[in-house]
């Protein structure tokens, strides 16, 4: 019995000794060829070029409408312009807006009635990238139509409902109002 106890003690000491050995970090598995990244870049360039071609044909189909190119890679036109106001929403402001989403064939994907009303804390909430930037270009009571390539809309993933993967969209937005957060009245708590 003593021999068995000695063997058990030696076994535990041996295991303890092995577990004290410092572990070494494993090196990451890397691909030296980079072909996946190159193929992905080529695929994305083709996608963007195709979407820009569609946007260009929409713009050329009605030369009476003046579209402006944004610095972020989308195009927009004013449906109703407010030239009296100079203020635009800035980070932290609370914007109220309505919008409608259509595909590039003009089919309504989400109507203004379905989506209204929208309240957005500018640059503090996660909304579609194009809207995040586009709202900051608008004045109160303006209505703007945006042509968003897929990377400024819902991207590769889509919205899991009506907007497909890599689908460019037309978005018409009406900025109803915006206020600084301290000017928004907080509702009293009811018990």
């Amino acid at each position: 019995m003593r021999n068995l106890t000695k063997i058990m003690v030696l076994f535990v000491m041996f295991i303890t000794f092995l577990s004290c050995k410092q572990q070494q970090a494993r090196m990451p598995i890397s691909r030296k060829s980079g072909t996946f990244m190159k193929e992905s870049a080529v695929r994305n360039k083709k996608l963007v070029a195709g979407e820009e071609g569609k946007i260009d044909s929409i713009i050329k189909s009605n030369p009476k409408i003046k579209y402006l190119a944004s610095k972020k890679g989308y195009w927009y036109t004013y449906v109703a312009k407010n030239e009296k106001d100079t203020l635009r929403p800035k980070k932290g402001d609370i914007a109220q807006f309505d919008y409608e989403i259509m595909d590039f064939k003009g089919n309504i994907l989400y109507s203004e009635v379905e989506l209204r009303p929208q309240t957005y804390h500018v640059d503090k909430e996660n909304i579609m990238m194009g809207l995040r930037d586009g709202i900051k270009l608008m004045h109160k009571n303006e209505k703007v139509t945006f042509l968003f390539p897929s990377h400024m809309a819902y991207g590769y993933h889509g919205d899991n409902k009506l907007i497909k993967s890599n689908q460019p969209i037309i978005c018409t937005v009406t900025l109803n109002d915006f206020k600084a957060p301290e000017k928004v009245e907080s509702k009293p708590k009811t018990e």
Side-chain angles (χ1 to χ4, degrees):
M1 187 78 162
R2 278 191 169 177
N3 287 338
L4 184 60
T5 307
K6 285 182 182 178
I7 292 173
M8 291 292 273
V9 169
L10 286 174
F11 180 72
V12 170
M13 287 176 49
F14 179 71
I15 295 295
T16 305
F17 175 74
L18 286 179
S19 65
C20 290
K21 182 181 174 189
Q22 190 172 10
Q23 260 187 338
Q24 291 183 342
R26 288 190 265 158
M27 296 301 290
I29 298 172
S30 62
R31 297 181 185 184
K32 297 184 184 208
S33 67
T35 56
F36 174 77
M37 292 303 285
K38 288 177 187 174
E39 290 170 0
S40 180
V42 169
R43 188 172 45 251
N44 286 337
K45 285 179 182 178
K46 285 180 183 177
L47 176 69
V48 169
E51 290 178 4
E52 286 178 351
K54 290 176 185 176
I55 290 171
D56 194 45
S57 66
I58 290 172
I59 292 170
K60 286 180 180 176
S61 70
N62 196 343
K64 292 178 183 178
I65 298 175
K66 182 183 176 189
Y67 281 92
L68 304 167
S70 76
K71 294 177 183 177
K72 300 281 183 165
Y74 59 87
W75 290 258
Y76 61 100
T77 185
Y78 289 90
V79 176
K81 194 165 185 167
N82 175 357
E83 295 182 359
K84 291 185 280 180
D85 291 332
T86 58
L87 296 176
R88 294 180 178 169
K90 62 185 182 307
K91 184 175 183 174
D93 287 348
I94 299 171
Q96 285 92 30
F97 66 96
D98 297 320
Y99 73 116
E100 172 180 83
I101 299 175
M102 296 186 295
D103 63 18
F104 272 18
K105 294 177 182 174
N107 301 315
I108 295 174
L109 301 173
Y110 294 104
S111 71
E112 189 175 301
V113 174
E114 287 179 88
L115 299 173
R116 82 163 51 143
Q118 295 290 316
T119 301
Y120 167 58
H121 292 74
V122 179
D123 287 342
K124 293 193 173 202
E125 287 183 73
N126 192 17
I127 64 170
M128 179 185 8
M129 191 183 311
L131 273 181
R132 195 177 317 151
D133 188 67
I135 286 174
K136 292 187 284 186
L137 296 175
M138 299 175 72
H139 299 285
K140 183 178 173 182
N141 295 321
E142 284 187 331
K143 188 172 190 174
V144 177
T145 297
F146 296 95
L147 304 176
F148 292 129
S150 64
H151 68 276
M152 293 300 292
Y154 289 88
Y156 175 75
H157 197 267
D159 77 339
N160 290 331
K161 295 176 188 164
L162 300 175
I163 299 172
K164 299 176 187 118
S165 173
N166 295 322
Q167 183 175 6
I169 58 172
I170 299 171
C171 205
T172 301
V173 180
T174 303
L175 181 60
N176 299 316
D177 197 7
F178 65 92
K179 293 179 179 155
E182 57 272 5
K183 292 186 178 181
V184 176
E185 293 181 34
S186 61
K187 295 180 181 178
K189 293 182 181 178
T190 57
E191 294 183 40

